[in-house]
């Protein structure tokens, strides 16, 4: 591989990785409070992209459409929590998981019934599709914007989690909801806030995803959701910083497997998981994760 | 009885098929004896288990005379043995894997098979002076894998050189790694054998990276979304297909295209056209049985007529069925021009 | 300060608390004793609406039977739950901050006061609560509850698993607190509890079997036989 | 006094930078009841975990019945004859009381997987026998009437007893009890001491226990070791411990309340 | 003794019904019954590792795939294979694999079991949600291997024309057999140990249980029957492709066992009937309906929307599944007892 191609691949990796990272943050945040693998996260992301798509199709300016997309996701996310998760706060975690899968099926099929399964072309404004040329290396503007947004969101989320009382409450919730209530805190409201935030992040991820890969369909969230989940686990699920690291690692792995061994391109996804398993063998709780089920004797 | 993937991962194909089928049905659903044809459409979620069950349901619950479907060869292959066992004619409009009809007495298809299409792609490329190619194969799709093989065989046989095969997976959206690899190879042509969702994104990413090499694909890319999603980048994308509405010269085809425009207000796609032809062939077979004084529900007769279809004038051209149950028909080569699918030429078998 | 009328708690078909009545005067220590499974914890949890219950709870003149838990705490009724339940993944300081979630303006002052009251915690401000020893966790749990400046504090077996010396310290602190707030205390160590309490209730099988001034209970033969031992 | 059944020899246990046990040695004579006391966080539970193989000591060794068992895996330690209870009760929550006790027999049942799947005679033989034995143990603890109840629906005191019964079912020589009387009132505690004495007799046991209830320790233990910050600060008769100034300063305090 | 006789009679009766059904029912009904039978085998065995042993694993699609491929390769005649393998020539070993129906099914089970043994080392190093992703990844990897090793699997083309030996007599009897084996395991020292591992791993270890070994035994047993189920599926459908074994299959099984009550074998059986049946019964929703005098129009996919809603509602009302972790007879007994008390 010559230098140009290598640099290009590096950029490609960063681009894909930051996308995974962005989506993994929302994933891991919801996991952080509810200990729930929110399988519907990818679908909430899809909802965000679709709402934005509809708004632009209706002729609204892009910025407004994005806001509507985020709003749509937030509403769906919060409703999901209210309807499908809240009644099960004290039930076994696995029941929650099933309702999460149920919500996921529901959203996918609902959007399929409404919009059909044919991919829709997502149109983004020109300033988001610009491409810079650095010699022979091509640098799409999203490769610059998305990591910046990711890092900004990461710092924002970290600030909330570690510097505000709400963040403390969020971290405490993960371990002990009843006792959080005993502090005079409206735990359900905080969880709703987390869902709103997580869904907003999903929507932002979904919109950027749609800008980068302008084809959206009701099942677009499935594979990305799974990858983001893998990224979150790789980084140590529940750790926001870990999610970002995991996202980038996954992005680079995927790109370089294909780049270095084009014949093995078919194994790309296998490599991502293989790598994940390898890491977990040595660090059973991911890169930044703590053992949440650690039991003292 | 019709079995299509109306939900699930390949819902898009099922839904476009149904679009064409509905037009054809609205145009004509009366047999010569005055009976109305009844269509029962079942969804199989793109799942084999459900596809096979759906056929049995059609046979037992709806007393179906003929089974139409599926899109994906894998699913058609799950259905074929059921139809075969029940001695019920089955026609698939879009399953191009040769094995679907292989050794089956009751299974017919309305489309050409992968080896033919691959050869057409290769021939066209060679005829236009392209000597080196990179093949893009979708490892997840039997369609793409088979097509790639046929293309490579014909291309090398004709004196061309395959520089590299890059693999993608359907459902992927990021092809930058593959595109960067292709770029370093400098091929004359990129033979893309997958489906349109990936084709659109890949060509877009390729053009974004400054690759000017032309793409050639097959019927899997011939969907309006190629242009909608690919935008300007899709310009010049060539592909082989069953049908192009611009090449529609026969009155049947014109009528279909007109009805399609009226109902959906968009250009007619080939998946729907194929479904319409499959339906038309069934109708024609039933009518022939009536002519012979047999019941249109006489499965043996209908199958016999289907298998011996000769010179059927369909939307996608003239269809002849060979002894294996495969359609022998011409392919068209289209090119994306100004956001439309421009007709280039017709290649006869 | 607190009044319970016909309080009942069911877990499925099991009745844990069967219609009890209690009355607690301001600035007193009242203790609730009873053997394992008598329903003591259930009673406290029912008061703050952590479990489903029937009956009426009146706190500081207000009917709080239907209020959600966090509202009750905001009204000034704090509970130190059974088994300490400190937030193990937060630091000592952060645990205190959580206690003062709705008391932002007095946080700094109260925190200083807590470190004065529990000097053992002073040196461990940034340590994760999960790594504290059992006794330190218990102190933290009490301090955390006090951060909301409650009018009344309920403690559920604060001495469980603590070394004798620390049990002593905890009891001294409770006595100290009585000067300013009302306290409801659950203890297995009935002798020690009755000694610092003004009034006591004895719970048996979810019903109140006996109640009275603590000196009287300490002298009561039945109580001696059942809860204080030879 | 007879020979030592268990010997803890120069054990040090570190967690990261924290030294939980610091060069600790003591011997538990066969047939005795030995107490381990000390302030919270002194390292009592940690030494239990060292003995049972849950933690491997950073330094030093554990000798049981003349054999060095340092680093042996927990399930193997059970097979050698050491059973334990946990500080915070850990019963199998989806199972009945009887089933909890049956688990203790796991290693004593010698039918293989296929005999279980096809219900061959050995399966029936063993299942019948251990059920009888398990009921016997429950009877001893006065728990027979609860045999079919869900274990976690029992009251706290009874749950503690089930845990001990379950440990007993593994046929140990040495029983480790971590704060068996915690959360019990004085009457219940006395009831528990009687049971422990009785099973010790019936099953020929040696008992090593951790407890904060000094009255209980006094009544039960032949010898106590007092730990503070992972170090031994006293070893001897409980009656002497109570008056030892170092023990009073570190552990008992001046407030006597019981 | 009396119990044993009643059990024998019940088994014989069920076998009788199965063989009667096999002969008299129409192919559509049988097809649904066959689906239920195969999924019952899969759900029952998945329940052993996930429900009874409490290991949140998401791998069954992988084992089903292994069983399906191995069985198919044993069943397809060599000549057909040469003809079928379109991409590359079949590997020599593939051509040599030949067996009759029952041995072929058994081989599928054994192959899955061996893979499970190999996998247990990485899988059981991690716990909880980490275990979930590792096993999910494994299912993914198996499928990708099936796609990329055409000499053994014919890649994306898959295998077809698999001899259709699996009728309801086979499938029904094997489902019954699986149910009996699972129940026997649950009510043995192994089943108890598995439940102990689920409830509290450390406490189980403290009882002398080698938790790794027990988990591996459960995993391998589960894999064996997943493989058998996969083999039956292959022979029943006569065609298999890698995309059939995606994680959607796993999710479907997960839904079944959670709905039935994790750990309850009879619950898994009932839930299989409910889930597999409802997909078919809800078909009317896709069609045009007349509601309050208005045509709803066709909405292909509506049944899936409704299915999802029903699923959520069922979970909200039966939090621990239909039977909790009890078996049907225990569940009925407990219900009756409860009525007495109130
Ligand atoms: N979540 C629950 N589900 C079912 N039963 C419960 C639950 N919590 C408590 N119980 C039962 O309710 C009864 C009262 O329990 P509670 O915890 O109130 O007793 P307690 O007096 O606090 O006992 P202890 O001294 O052991 O803390 C007991 O029989 C207990 O088994
Ligand atoms: N897994 C662990 N990781 C880190 N530190 C630990 C771990 N286990 C124990 N410790 C630390 O080791 C010290 C001894 O703990 P241990 O549980 O043995 O105390 P103990 O004497 O049993 O106290 P208590 O009477 O409160 O139960 C404590 O400081 C504790 O925080
Ligand atoms: Mg209590
Ligand atoms: Mg301890």
């Amino acid at each position: 591989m010559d230098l140009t191609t290598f640099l290009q691949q590096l950029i490609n990796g960063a681009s894909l990785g930051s996308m995974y990272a962005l989506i993994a943050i929302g994933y891991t945040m919801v996991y952080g409070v509810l200990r729930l693998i929110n399988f519907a996260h990818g679908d909430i992301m899809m909802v965000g992209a679709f709402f934005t798509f509809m708004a632009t199709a209706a002729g609204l300016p892009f910025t407004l459409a994005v806001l509507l997309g985020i709003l749509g996701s937030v509403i769906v996310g919060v409703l999901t929590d209210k309807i499908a998760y809240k009644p099960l706060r004290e039930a076994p975690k696995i029941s929650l998981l099933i309702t999460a899968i149920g919500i996921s099926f529901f959203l996918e099929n609902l959007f399929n019934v409404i919009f059909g399964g044919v991919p829709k072309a997502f149109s983004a404004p020109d300033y988001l599709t610009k491409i810079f040329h650095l010699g022979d290396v091509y640098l799409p503007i999203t490769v610059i914007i998305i990591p910046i947004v990711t890092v900004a969101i990461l710092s924002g989320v970290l600030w909330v989690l570690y510097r505000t009382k709400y963040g403390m409450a969020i971290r405490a919730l993960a371990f002990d909801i009843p006792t959080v209530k005993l502090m005079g805190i409206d735990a359900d409201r905080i969880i709703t806030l987390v869902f709103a935030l997580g869904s907003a992040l999903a929507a932002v991820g979904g919109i950027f995803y749609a800008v980068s890969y302008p084809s959206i369909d009701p099942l677009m969230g499935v594979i990305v959701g799974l990858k983001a989940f893998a990224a979150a686990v790789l980084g140590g699920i529940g750790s926001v910083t870990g999610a970002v690291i995991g996202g980038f690692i996954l992005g680079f792995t995927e790109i370089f497997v294909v780049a270095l061994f084009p014949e093995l391109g078919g194994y790309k996804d296998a490599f991502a998981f293989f790598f994940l398993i390898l890491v977990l063998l040595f660090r059973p709780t991911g890169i930044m994760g703590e053992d949440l089920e650690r039991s003292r004797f | 009885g019709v079995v299509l993937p109306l939900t699930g991962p390949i819902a898009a194909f099922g839904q476009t098929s149904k679009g064409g089928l509905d037009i054809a049905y609205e145009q004509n659903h009366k047999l010569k004896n005055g009976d109305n044809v009844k269509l029962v459409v079942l969804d199989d979620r793109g799942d084999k288990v459900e596809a096979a069950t759906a056929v049995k349901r059609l046979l037992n619950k709806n007393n179906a005379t003929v089974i139409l479907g599926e899109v994906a060869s894998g699913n058609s292959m799950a259905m074929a043995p059921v139809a075969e066992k029940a001695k019920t004619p089955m026609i698939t409009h879009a399953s191009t894997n040769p094995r679907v009809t292989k050794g089956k007495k009751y299974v017919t298809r309305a489309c050409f098979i992968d080896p033919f299409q691959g050869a057409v792609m290769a021939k066209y490329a060679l005829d236009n002076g392209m000597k080196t190619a990179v093949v893009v194969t979708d490892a997840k799709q039997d369609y793409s894998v088979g097509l790639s093989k046929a293309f490579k065989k014909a291309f090398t046989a004709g004196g061309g050189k395959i520089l590299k095969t890059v693999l993608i997976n359907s459902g992927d959206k990021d092809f930058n790694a593959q595109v960067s690899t292709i770029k370093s190879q400098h091929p004359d042509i990129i033979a893309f054998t997958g489906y349109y969702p990936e084709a659109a994104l890949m060509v877009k990413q390729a053009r974004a990276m400054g690759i000017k090499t032309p793409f050639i694909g097959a019927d899997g890319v011939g969907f309006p979304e190629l242009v909608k999603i690919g935008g300007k980048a899709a310009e010049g994308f060539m592909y082989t297909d069953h049908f192009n509405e611009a090449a529609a010269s026969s009155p049947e085809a014109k009528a279909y295209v007109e009805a399609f425009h009226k109902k959906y207000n968009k250009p007619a796609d080939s998946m729907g056209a194929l479904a319409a032809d499959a339906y038309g062939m069934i109708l024609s077979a039933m009518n022939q049985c009536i002519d012979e004084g047999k019941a249109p529900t006489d499965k043996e007769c209908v199958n016999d007529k289907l298998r011996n279809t000769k010179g059927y004038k369909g939307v996608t051209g003239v269809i002849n069925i060979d002894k294996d149950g495969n359609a022998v028909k011409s392919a068209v080569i289209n090119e994306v021009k100004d956001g439309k699918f421009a007709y280039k030429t017709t290649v006869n078998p | 300060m607190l009044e319970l009328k016909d309080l009942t708690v069911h877990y499925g078909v099991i009745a844990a608390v069967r219609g009890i009545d209690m009355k607690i005067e301001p600035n007193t220590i009242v203790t609730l004793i009873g053997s394992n499974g008598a329903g003591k914890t259930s009673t406290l949890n029912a008061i703050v609406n952590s479990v489903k219950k029937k009956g009426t709870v009146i706190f500081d003149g207000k009917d709080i039977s239907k209020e959600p838990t966090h509202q009750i705490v905001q009204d000034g009724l704090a509970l130190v739950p059974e088994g300490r339940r400190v937030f193990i993944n937060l630091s000592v300081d952060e645990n205190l901050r959580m206690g003062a979630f709705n008391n932002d303006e007095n946080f700094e002052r109260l925190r200083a006061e807590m470190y004065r009251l529990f000097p053992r915690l002073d040196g461990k401000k940034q340590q994760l609560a999960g790594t504290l020893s059992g006794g330190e966790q218990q102190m933290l749990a009490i301090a955390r509850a006090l951060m909301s400046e409650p009018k009344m504090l309920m403690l559920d077996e604060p001495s469980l698993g603590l070394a004798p010396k620390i049990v002593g310290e905890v009891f001294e602190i409770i006595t100290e607190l009585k000067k300013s707030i009302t306290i409801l205390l659950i203890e297995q160590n009935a002798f020690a509890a009755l000694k610092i309490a003004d009034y006591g209730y004895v719970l048996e099988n979810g019903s109140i079997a006996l109640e009275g001034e603590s000196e009287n209970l300490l002298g009561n033969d039945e109580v001696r036989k059942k809860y204080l031992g030879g | 006094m007879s020979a030592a059944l268990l010997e803890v020899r120069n054990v040090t246990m570190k967690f990261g930078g924290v030294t939980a046990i610091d060069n600790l040695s003591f011997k538990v004579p066969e047939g005795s009841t030995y107490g381990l006391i000390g302030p919270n966080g002194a390292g009592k539970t940690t030494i239990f975990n060292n003995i049972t193989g849950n933690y491997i000591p950073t330094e030093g060794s554990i000798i049981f019945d003349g054999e060095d068992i340092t680093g042996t895996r927990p399930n193997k330690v059970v097979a050698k004859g050491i059973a334990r209870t946990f500080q915070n009760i850990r019963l199998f929550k989806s199972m009945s009381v009887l089933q909890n006790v049956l688990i203790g027999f796991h290693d004593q049942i010698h039918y293989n997987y296929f005999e279980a799947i096809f219900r061959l005679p050995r399966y029936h033989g063993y299942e019948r026998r251990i059920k009888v034995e398990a009921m016997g143990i429950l009877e001893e603890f006065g728990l027979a009437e609860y045999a079919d109840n869900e274990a976690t629906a029992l009251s706290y005191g009874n749950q503690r007893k089930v845990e001990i019964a379950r440990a007993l079912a593994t046929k140990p020589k040495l029983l480790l009890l971590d704060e068996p009387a915690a959360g019990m009132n004085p009457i219940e505690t006395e009831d528990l001491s009687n049971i422990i004495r009785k099973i010790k007799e019936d099953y020929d046991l040696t008992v090593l226990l951790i407890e904060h209830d000094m009255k209980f320790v006094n009544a039960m233990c032949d010898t106590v070791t007092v730990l503070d910050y992972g170090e031994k600060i006293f070893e001897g008769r409980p009656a002497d411990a109570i008056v030892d100034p170092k023990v009073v300063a570190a552990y008992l305090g001046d407030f006597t309340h019981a | 003794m009396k119990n044993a006789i009643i059990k024998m009679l019940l088994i014989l009766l069920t076998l009788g019904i199965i063989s009667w059904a096999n002969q008299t029912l129409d192919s559509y009904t049988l097809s649904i019954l066959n689906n239920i039978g195969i999924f019952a085998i899969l759900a029952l065995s998945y329940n052993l590792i996930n429900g009874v042993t409490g290991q949140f694993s998401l791998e069954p699609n992988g084992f089903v795939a292994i069983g399906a491929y191995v069985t198919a390769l044993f069943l397809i005649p060599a000549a057909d294979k040469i003809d079928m393998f379109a991409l590359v020539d079949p590997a020599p070993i593939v051509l040599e694999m030949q067996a009759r129906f029952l041995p072929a099914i058994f081989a599928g089970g054994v192959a899955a079991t061996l893979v499970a043994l190999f996998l247990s080392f990485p899988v059981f190093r991690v716990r909880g949600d980490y275990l979930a992703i590792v096993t999910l990844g494994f299912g993914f990897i198996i499928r990708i291997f099936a796609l990329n090793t055409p000499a053994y699997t014919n890649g994306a083309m898959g295998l077809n024309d698999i001899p259709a030996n699996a009728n309801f007599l086979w499938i029904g009897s094997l489902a019954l057999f699986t149910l009996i084996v699972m129940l026997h395991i649950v009510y043995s020292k192994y089943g108890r140990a598995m439940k102990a591992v689920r409830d509290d791993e450390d406490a189980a270890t403290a009882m002398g249980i080698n938790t790794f070994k027990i988990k591996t035994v459960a995993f391998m047993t589960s894999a064996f029957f997943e493989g058998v189920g996969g083999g039956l599926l292959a022979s029943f459908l006569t065609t298999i492709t890698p995309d059939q074994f995606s994680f959607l299959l796993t999710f479907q099984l997960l839904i079944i066992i959670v709905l039935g009550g994790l750990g309850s074998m009879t619950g898994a059986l009932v839930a299989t009937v409910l889930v597999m049946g409802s997909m078919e019964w809800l078909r009317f929703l896709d069609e045009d309906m007349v509601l309050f005098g208005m045509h709803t129009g066709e909405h292909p996919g509506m049944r899936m929307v409704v299915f999802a809603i029903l699923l959520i509602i069922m979970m909200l009302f039966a939090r621990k599944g239909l039977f909790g972790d009890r078996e049907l007879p225990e569940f009925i007994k407990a219900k009756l007892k409860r009525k007495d008390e109130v």
Side-chain angles (χ1 to χ4, degrees), chain A residues 274-281:
Chain A
F274 189 72
F275 191 67
L276 173 71
I277 293 171
L278 213 64
V279 170
L280 290 184
L281 271 182

mmCIF file with all atom_site columns, all heavy atoms in Angstrom, chain A residues 274-281:
data_model
loop_
_atom_site.group_PDB
_atom_site.id
_atom_site.type_symbol
_atom_site.label_atom_id
_atom_site.label_alt_id
_atom_site.label_comp_id
_atom_site.label_asym_id
_atom_site.label_entity_id
_atom_site.label_seq_id
_atom_site.pdbx_PDB_ins_code
_atom_site.Cartn_x
_atom_site.Cartn_y
_atom_site.Cartn_z
_atom_site.occupancy
_atom_site.B_iso_or_equiv
_atom_site.pdbx_formal_charge
_atom_site.auth_seq_id
_atom_site.auth_comp_id
_atom_site.auth_asym_id
_atom_site.auth_atom_id
_atom_site.pdbx_PDB_model_num
ATOM 1  N N   . PHE A 1 274 ? -14.414 -10.934 15.854 1.00 0.00 ? 274 PHE A N   1
ATOM 2  C CA  . PHE A 1 274 ? -13.288 -11.744 16.295 1.00 0.00 ? 274 PHE A CA  1
ATOM 3  C C   . PHE A 1 274 ? -12.366 -10.902 17.177 1.00 0.00 ? 274 PHE A C   1
ATOM 4  O O   . PHE A 1 274 ? -11.937 -11.320 18.248 1.00 0.00 ? 274 PHE A O   1
ATOM 5  C CB  . PHE A 1 274 ? -12.543 -12.253 15.068 1.00 0.00 ? 274 PHE A CB  1
ATOM 6  C CG  . PHE A 1 274 ? -11.499 -13.265 15.386 1.00 0.00 ? 274 PHE A CG  1
ATOM 7  C CD1 . PHE A 1 274 ? -11.851 -14.549 15.773 1.00 0.00 ? 274 PHE A CD1 1
ATOM 8  C CD2 . PHE A 1 274 ? -10.155 -12.941 15.312 1.00 0.00 ? 274 PHE A CD2 1
ATOM 9  C CE1 . PHE A 1 274 ? -10.891 -15.483 16.081 1.00 0.00 ? 274 PHE A CE1 1
ATOM 10 C CE2 . PHE A 1 274 ? -9.181  -13.870 15.616 1.00 0.00 ? 274 PHE A CE2 1
ATOM 11 C CZ  . PHE A 1 274 ? -9.557  -15.147 16.000 1.00 0.00 ? 274 PHE A CZ  1
ATOM 12 N N   . PHE A 1 275 ? -12.126 -9.715  16.718 1.00 0.00 ? 275 PHE A N   1
ATOM 13 C CA  . PHE A 1 275 ? -11.288 -8.788  17.456 1.00 0.00 ? 275 PHE A CA  1
ATOM 14 C C   . PHE A 1 275 ? -11.905 -8.483  18.825 1.00 0.00 ? 275 PHE A C   1
ATOM 15 O O   . PHE A 1 275 ? -11.237 -8.484  19.852 1.00 0.00 ? 275 PHE A O   1
ATOM 16 C CB  . PHE A 1 275 ? -11.148 -7.504  16.639 1.00 0.00 ? 275 PHE A CB  1
ATOM 17 C CG  . PHE A 1 275 ? -10.116 -6.575  17.148 1.00 0.00 ? 275 PHE A CG  1
ATOM 18 C CD1 . PHE A 1 275 ? -8.775  -6.906  17.098 1.00 0.00 ? 275 PHE A CD1 1
ATOM 19 C CD2 . PHE A 1 275 ? -10.472 -5.349  17.685 1.00 0.00 ? 275 PHE A CD2 1
ATOM 20 C CE1 . PHE A 1 275 ? -7.815  -6.043  17.570 1.00 0.00 ? 275 PHE A CE1 1
ATOM 21 C CE2 . PHE A 1 275 ? -9.519  -4.475  18.168 1.00 0.00 ? 275 PHE A CE2 1
ATOM 22 C CZ  . PHE A 1 275 ? -8.194  -4.827  18.108 1.00 0.00 ? 275 PHE A CZ  1
ATOM 23 N N   . LEU A 1 276 ? -13.205 -8.264  18.801 1.00 0.00 ? 276 LEU A N   1
ATOM 24 C CA  . LEU A 1 276 ? -13.930 -7.992  20.037 1.00 0.00 ? 276 LEU A CA  1
ATOM 25 C C   . LEU A 1 276 ? -13.766 -9.141  21.030 1.00 0.00 ? 276 LEU A C   1
ATOM 26 O O   . LEU A 1 276 ? -13.473 -8.952  22.210 1.00 0.00 ? 276 LEU A O   1
ATOM 27 C CB  . LEU A 1 276 ? -15.413 -7.784  19.702 1.00 0.00 ? 276 LEU A CB  1
ATOM 28 C CG  . LEU A 1 276 ? -16.363 -7.655  20.868 1.00 0.00 ? 276 LEU A CG  1
ATOM 29 C CD1 . LEU A 1 276 ? -16.140 -6.332  21.559 1.00 0.00 ? 276 LEU A CD1 1
ATOM 30 C CD2 . LEU A 1 276 ? -17.794 -7.751  20.391 1.00 0.00 ? 276 LEU A CD2 1
ATOM 31 N N   . ILE A 1 277 ? -13.925 -10.355 20.524 1.00 0.00 ? 277 ILE A N   1
ATOM 32 C CA  . ILE A 1 277 ? -13.815 -11.517 21.395 1.00 0.00 ? 277 ILE A CA  1
ATOM 33 C C   . ILE A 1 277 ? -12.403 -11.617 21.952 1.00 0.00 ? 277 ILE A C   1
ATOM 34 O O   . ILE A 1 277 ? -12.186 -11.905 23.132 1.00 0.00 ? 277 ILE A O   1
ATOM 35 C CB  . ILE A 1 277 ? -14.205 -12.805 20.624 1.00 0.00 ? 277 ILE A CB  1
ATOM 36 C CG1 . ILE A 1 277 ? -15.699 -12.763 20.290 1.00 0.00 ? 277 ILE A CG1 1
ATOM 37 C CG2 . ILE A 1 277 ? -13.875 -14.046 21.423 1.00 0.00 ? 277 ILE A CG2 1
ATOM 38 C CD1 . ILE A 1 277 ? -16.162 -13.859 19.358 1.00 0.00 ? 277 ILE A CD1 1
ATOM 39 N N   . LEU A 1 278 ? -11.445 -11.328 21.100 1.00 0.00 ? 278 LEU A N   1
ATOM 40 C CA  . LEU A 1 278 ? -10.050 -11.389 21.523 1.00 0.00 ? 278 LEU A CA  1
ATOM 41 C C   . LEU A 1 278 ? -9.796  -10.411 22.672 1.00 0.00 ? 278 LEU A C   1
ATOM 42 O O   . LEU A 1 278 ? -9.181  -10.755 23.690 1.00 0.00 ? 278 LEU A O   1
ATOM 43 C CB  . LEU A 1 278 ? -9.157  -11.040 20.329 1.00 0.00 ? 278 LEU A CB  1
ATOM 44 C CG  . LEU A 1 278 ? -7.815  -11.736 20.278 1.00 0.00 ? 278 LEU A CG  1
ATOM 45 C CD1 . LEU A 1 278 ? -8.021  -13.234 20.126 1.00 0.00 ? 278 LEU A CD1 1
ATOM 46 C CD2 . LEU A 1 278 ? -6.993  -11.195 19.119 1.00 0.00 ? 278 LEU A CD2 1
ATOM 47 N N   . VAL A 1 279 ? -10.283 -9.192  22.501 1.00 0.00 ? 279 VAL A N   1
ATOM 48 C CA  . VAL A 1 279 ? -10.089 -8.197  23.556 1.00 0.00 ? 279 VAL A CA  1
ATOM 49 C C   . VAL A 1 279 ? -10.758 -8.657  24.848 1.00 0.00 ? 279 VAL A C   1
ATOM 50 O O   . VAL A 1 279 ? -10.179 -8.574  25.933 1.00 0.00 ? 279 VAL A O   1
ATOM 51 C CB  . VAL A 1 279 ? -10.649 -6.822  23.123 1.00 0.00 ? 279 VAL A CB  1
ATOM 52 C CG1 . VAL A 1 279 ? -10.667 -5.862  24.292 1.00 0.00 ? 279 VAL A CG1 1
ATOM 53 C CG2 . VAL A 1 279 ? -9.829  -6.258  21.985 1.00 0.00 ? 279 VAL A CG2 1
ATOM 54 N N   . LEU A 1 280 ? -11.961 -9.191  24.719 1.00 0.00 ? 280 LEU A N   1
ATOM 55 C CA  . LEU A 1 280 ? -12.684 -9.603  25.926 1.00 0.00 ? 280 LEU A CA  1
ATOM 56 C C   . LEU A 1 280 ? -12.000 -10.772 26.623 1.00 0.00 ? 280 LEU A C   1
ATOM 57 O O   . LEU A 1 280 ? -12.121 -10.947 27.825 1.00 0.00 ? 280 LEU A O   1
ATOM 58 C CB  . LEU A 1 280 ? -14.130 -9.980  25.579 1.00 0.00 ? 280 LEU A CB  1
ATOM 59 C CG  . LEU A 1 280 ? -15.018 -8.807  25.185 1.00 0.00 ? 280 LEU A CG  1
ATOM 60 C CD1 . LEU A 1 280 ? -16.443 -9.273  24.964 1.00 0.00 ? 280 LEU A CD1 1
ATOM 61 C CD2 . LEU A 1 280 ? -14.996 -7.722  26.244 1.00 0.00 ? 280 LEU A CD2 1
ATOM 62 N N   . LEU A 1 281 ? -11.266 -11.573 25.842 1.00 0.00 ? 281 LEU A N   1
ATOM 63 C CA  . LEU A 1 281 ? -10.556 -12.685 26.456 1.00 0.00 ? 281 LEU A CA  1
ATOM 64 C C   . LEU A 1 281 ? -9.525  -12.166 27.443 1.00 0.00 ? 281 LEU A C   1
ATOM 65 O O   . LEU A 1 281 ? -9.292  -12.752 28.498 1.00 0.00 ? 281 LEU A O   1
ATOM 66 C CB  . LEU A 1 281 ? -9.846  -13.520 25.388 1.00 0.00 ? 281 LEU A CB  1
ATOM 67 C CG  . LEU A 1 281 ? -10.666 -14.644 24.785 1.00 0.00 ? 281 LEU A CG  1
ATOM 68 C CD1 . LEU A 1 281 ? -9.837  -15.423 23.794 1.00 0.00 ? 281 LEU A CD1 1
ATOM 69 C CD2 . LEU A 1 281 ? -11.165 -15.566 25.872 1.00 0.00 ? 281 LEU A CD2 1
#
